[in-house]
mmCIF file of all heavy atoms in Angstrom:
data_model
loop_
_atom_site.group_PDB
_atom_site.id
_atom_site.type_symbol
_atom_site.label_atom_id
_atom_site.label_comp_id
_atom_site.label_asym_id
_atom_site.label_seq_id
_atom_site.Cartn_x
_atom_site.Cartn_y
_atom_site.Cartn_z
ATOM 1 N N LYS A 163 -23.287 41.633 -92.160
ATOM 2 C CA LYS A 163 -21.849 41.774 -92.402
ATOM 3 C C LYS A 163 -21.579 43.251 -92.234
ATOM 4 O O LYS A 163 -22.048 44.049 -93.034
ATOM 5 C CB LYS A 163 -21.453 41.283 -93.750
ATOM 6 C CG LYS A 163 -21.806 39.800 -93.991
ATOM 7 C CD LYS A 163 -21.536 39.366 -95.415
ATOM 8 C CE LYS A 163 -21.923 37.978 -95.686
ATOM 9 N NZ LYS A 163 -21.777 37.546 -97.053
ATOM 10 N N GLY A 164 -20.801 43.609 -91.215
ATOM 11 C CA GLY A 164 -20.658 45.032 -90.963
ATOM 12 C C GLY A 164 -19.305 45.411 -90.500
ATOM 13 O O GLY A 164 -18.274 44.913 -90.921
ATOM 14 N N VAL A 165 -19.249 46.259 -89.499
ATOM 15 C CA VAL A 165 -18.033 46.922 -89.053
ATOM 16 C C VAL A 165 -17.530 46.268 -87.732
ATOM 17 O O VAL A 165 -18.318 45.960 -86.867
ATOM 18 C CB VAL A 165 -18.263 48.415 -88.838
ATOM 19 C CG1 VAL A 165 -17.002 49.122 -88.420
ATOM 20 C CG2 VAL A 165 -18.861 49.054 -90.072
ATOM 21 N N SER A 166 -16.268 46.046 -87.638
ATOM 22 C CA SER A 166 -15.732 45.493 -86.418
ATOM 23 C C SER A 166 -14.621 46.444 -85.900
ATOM 24 O O SER A 166 -14.177 47.333 -86.615
ATOM 25 C CB SER A 166 -15.166 44.098 -86.641
ATOM 26 O OG SER A 166 -14.033 44.172 -87.518
ATOM 27 N N ALA A 167 -14.172 46.186 -84.704
ATOM 28 C CA ALA A 167 -13.139 47.008 -84.112
ATOM 29 C C ALA A 167 -11.823 46.798 -84.825
ATOM 30 O O ALA A 167 -10.938 47.652 -84.764
ATOM 31 C CB ALA A 167 -12.970 46.681 -82.623
ATOM 32 N N GLU A 168 -11.658 45.643 -85.529
ATOM 33 C CA GLU A 168 -10.416 45.380 -86.229
ATOM 34 C C GLU A 168 -10.381 45.968 -87.606
ATOM 35 O O GLU A 168 -9.396 45.806 -88.365
ATOM 36 C CB GLU A 168 -10.182 43.892 -86.307
ATOM 37 C CG GLU A 168 -9.870 43.219 -84.944
ATOM 38 C CD GLU A 168 -11.133 43.037 -84.128
ATOM 39 O OE1 GLU A 168 -12.210 43.034 -84.708
ATOM 40 O OE2 GLU A 168 -10.993 42.944 -82.893
ATOM 41 N N ASP A 169 -11.403 46.661 -88.043
ATOM 42 C CA ASP A 169 -11.428 47.245 -89.402
ATOM 43 C C ASP A 169 -10.373 48.325 -89.520
ATOM 44 O O ASP A 169 -9.807 48.789 -88.519
ATOM 45 C CB ASP A 169 -12.823 47.788 -89.714
ATOM 46 C CG ASP A 169 -13.814 46.717 -90.070
ATOM 47 O OD1 ASP A 169 -13.306 45.645 -90.564
ATOM 48 O OD2 ASP A 169 -14.969 46.942 -89.886
ATOM 49 N N ASP A 170 -10.156 48.750 -90.758
ATOM 50 C CA ASP A 170 -9.181 49.823 -90.993
ATOM 51 C C ASP A 170 -9.621 51.088 -90.271
ATOM 52 O O ASP A 170 -10.758 51.294 -89.931
ATOM 53 C CB ASP A 170 -9.055 50.107 -92.502
ATOM 54 C CG ASP A 170 -8.507 48.900 -93.209
ATOM 55 O OD1 ASP A 170 -7.804 48.112 -92.527
ATOM 56 O OD2 ASP A 170 -8.753 48.780 -94.406
ATOM 57 N N ALA A 171 -8.632 51.975 -90.079
ATOM 58 C CA ALA A 171 -8.941 53.225 -89.430
ATOM 59 C C ALA A 171 -9.918 54.077 -90.231
ATOM 60 O O ALA A 171 -10.522 54.980 -89.715
ATOM 61 C CB ALA A 171 -7.618 53.990 -89.189
ATOM 62 N N CYS A 173 -12.550 53.066 -91.453
ATOM 63 C CA CYS A 173 -13.888 52.530 -91.282
ATOM 64 C C CYS A 173 -14.503 51.977 -92.520
ATOM 65 O O CYS A 173 -15.680 52.077 -92.714
ATOM 66 C CB CYS A 173 -14.791 53.591 -90.661
ATOM 67 S SG CYS A 173 -14.309 54.191 -89.058
ATOM 68 N N THR A 174 -13.693 51.435 -93.391
ATOM 69 C CA THR A 174 -14.231 50.812 -94.607
ATOM 70 C C THR A 174 -15.108 49.635 -94.253
ATOM 71 O O THR A 174 -14.731 48.838 -93.411
ATOM 72 C CB THR A 174 -13.070 50.337 -95.511
ATOM 73 O OG1 THR A 174 -12.293 51.455 -95.872
ATOM 74 C CG2 THR A 174 -13.665 49.689 -96.769
ATOM 75 N N MET A 175 -16.301 49.555 -94.857
ATOM 76 C CA MET A 175 -17.222 48.476 -94.568
ATOM 77 C C MET A 175 -16.896 47.300 -95.394
ATOM 78 O O MET A 175 -17.232 47.247 -96.618
ATOM 79 C CB MET A 175 -18.676 48.946 -94.792
ATOM 80 C CG MET A 175 -19.138 49.913 -93.712
ATOM 81 S SD MET A 175 -20.721 50.590 -94.094
ATOM 82 C CE MET A 175 -20.267 51.784 -95.320
ATOM 83 N N ASP A 176 -16.164 46.329 -94.844
ATOM 84 C CA ASP A 176 -15.793 45.154 -95.595
ATOM 85 C C ASP A 176 -16.882 44.085 -95.528
ATOM 86 O O ASP A 176 -17.214 43.639 -94.430
ATOM 87 C CB ASP A 176 -14.492 44.645 -94.979
ATOM 88 C CG ASP A 176 -13.923 43.463 -95.754
ATOM 89 O OD1 ASP A 176 -14.491 43.144 -96.829
ATOM 90 O OD2 ASP A 176 -12.953 42.885 -95.286
ATOM 91 N N ASN A 178 -16.624 41.123 -96.259
ATOM 92 C CA ASN A 178 -16.098 39.813 -95.874
ATOM 93 C C ASN A 178 -15.979 39.649 -94.385
ATOM 94 O O ASN A 178 -15.704 38.595 -93.863
ATOM 95 C CB ASN A 178 -14.716 39.597 -96.509
ATOM 96 C CG ASN A 178 -14.868 39.458 -98.041
ATOM 97 O OD1 ASN A 178 -15.831 38.888 -98.511
ATOM 98 N ND2 ASN A 178 -13.927 40.049 -98.749
ATOM 99 N N SER A 179 -16.084 40.762 -93.657
ATOM 100 C CA SER A 179 -15.993 40.683 -92.176
ATOM 101 C C SER A 179 -17.244 40.070 -91.652
ATOM 102 O O SER A 179 -18.356 40.378 -92.006
ATOM 103 C CB SER A 179 -15.757 42.061 -91.582
ATOM 104 O OG SER A 179 -16.843 42.898 -91.819
ATOM 105 N N GLU A 180 -17.044 39.154 -90.655
ATOM 106 C CA GLU A 180 -18.182 38.500 -90.004
ATOM 107 C C GLU A 180 -17.994 38.697 -88.538
ATOM 108 O O GLU A 180 -17.229 37.998 -87.887
ATOM 109 C CB GLU A 180 -18.219 37.047 -90.391
ATOM 110 C CG GLU A 180 -18.405 36.800 -91.897
ATOM 111 C CD GLU A 180 -18.390 35.348 -92.243
ATOM 112 O OE1 GLU A 180 -18.053 34.551 -91.346
ATOM 113 O OE2 GLU A 180 -18.695 34.976 -93.343
ATOM 114 N N THR A 181 -18.707 39.643 -87.996
ATOM 115 C CA THR A 181 -18.492 39.944 -86.594
ATOM 116 C C THR A 181 -19.783 40.502 -85.996
ATOM 117 O O THR A 181 -20.718 40.773 -86.671
ATOM 118 C CB THR A 181 -17.375 40.984 -86.400
ATOM 119 O OG1 THR A 181 -17.111 41.193 -85.052
ATOM 120 C CG2 THR A 181 -17.697 42.321 -87.080
ATOM 121 N N CYS A 182 -19.784 40.652 -84.698
ATOM 122 C CA CYS A 182 -20.933 41.166 -83.978
ATOM 123 C C CYS A 182 -20.882 42.666 -83.939
ATOM 124 O O CYS A 182 -19.910 43.266 -83.540
ATOM 125 C CB CYS A 182 -20.945 40.600 -82.567
ATOM 126 S SG CYS A 182 -22.312 41.212 -81.564
ATOM 127 N N VAL A 183 -21.941 43.341 -84.433
ATOM 128 C CA VAL A 183 -22.034 44.791 -84.475
ATOM 129 C C VAL A 183 -23.325 45.233 -83.845
ATOM 130 O O VAL A 183 -24.258 44.522 -83.814
ATOM 131 C CB VAL A 183 -21.920 45.353 -85.898
ATOM 132 C CG1 VAL A 183 -20.625 44.972 -86.532
ATOM 133 C CG2 VAL A 183 -23.106 44.817 -86.740
ATOM 134 N N PRO A 184 -23.328 46.430 -83.292
ATOM 135 C CA PRO A 184 -24.601 46.895 -82.612
ATOM 136 C C PRO A 184 -25.630 47.312 -83.617
ATOM 137 O O PRO A 184 -25.337 47.873 -84.662
ATOM 138 C CB PRO A 184 -24.088 48.125 -81.809
ATOM 139 C CG PRO A 184 -22.923 48.637 -82.617
ATOM 140 C CD PRO A 184 -22.255 47.429 -83.172
ATOM 141 N N THR A 213 -18.782 46.399 -79.868
ATOM 142 C CA THR A 213 -17.965 47.430 -80.469
ATOM 143 C C THR A 213 -18.814 48.508 -81.173
ATOM 144 O O THR A 213 -19.912 48.181 -81.602
ATOM 145 C CB THR A 213 -16.985 46.778 -81.459
ATOM 146 O OG1 THR A 213 -17.772 46.167 -82.512
ATOM 147 C CG2 THR A 213 -16.085 45.799 -80.842
ATOM 148 N N THR A 214 -18.303 49.671 -81.197
ATOM 149 C CA THR A 214 -18.950 50.786 -81.932
ATOM 150 C C THR A 214 -17.960 51.466 -82.843
ATOM 151 O O THR A 214 -16.777 51.241 -82.770
ATOM 152 C CB THR A 214 -19.529 51.848 -80.910
ATOM 153 O OG1 THR A 214 -18.429 52.298 -80.130
ATOM 154 C CG2 THR A 214 -20.546 51.235 -79.988
ATOM 155 N N LEU A 215 -18.470 52.314 -83.706
ATOM 156 C CA LEU A 215 -17.616 53.013 -84.675
ATOM 157 C C LEU A 215 -16.889 54.181 -83.994
ATOM 158 O O LEU A 215 -17.418 54.856 -83.130
ATOM 159 C CB LEU A 215 -18.494 53.545 -85.819
ATOM 160 C CG LEU A 215 -18.979 52.476 -86.801
ATOM 161 C CD1 LEU A 215 -19.908 53.151 -87.791
ATOM 162 C CD2 LEU A 215 -17.855 51.803 -87.535
ATOM 163 N N ASP A 216 -15.698 54.404 -84.420
ATOM 164 C CA ASP A 216 -14.930 55.522 -83.950
ATOM 165 C C ASP A 216 -15.483 56.829 -84.559
ATOM 166 O O ASP A 216 -15.638 56.949 -85.741
ATOM 167 C CB ASP A 216 -13.453 55.318 -84.373
ATOM 168 C CG ASP A 216 -12.585 56.408 -83.738
ATOM 169 O OD1 ASP A 216 -13.122 57.286 -83.085
ATOM 170 O OD2 ASP A 216 -11.384 56.372 -84.021
ATOM 171 N N GLN A 347 -24.255 51.556 -93.607
ATOM 172 C CA GLN A 347 -24.267 50.262 -92.929
ATOM 173 C C GLN A 347 -25.694 49.723 -92.845
ATOM 174 O O GLN A 347 -25.919 48.512 -93.039
ATOM 175 C CB GLN A 347 -23.713 50.430 -91.518
ATOM 176 C CG GLN A 347 -23.747 49.122 -90.714
ATOM 177 C CD GLN A 347 -23.196 49.361 -89.335
ATOM 178 O OE1 GLN A 347 -22.170 50.050 -89.119
ATOM 179 N NE2 GLN A 347 -23.845 48.811 -88.311
#
Side-chain angles (χ1 to χ4, degrees):
K163 300 173 183 177
V165 183
S166 68
E168 289 78 21
D169 282 334
D170 294 336
C173 297
T174 300
M175 286 172 285
D176 184 6
N178 295 320
S179 64
E180 298 177 350
T181 184
C182 177
V183 298
T213 60
T214 58
L215 287 175
D216 185 0
Q347 177 181 319

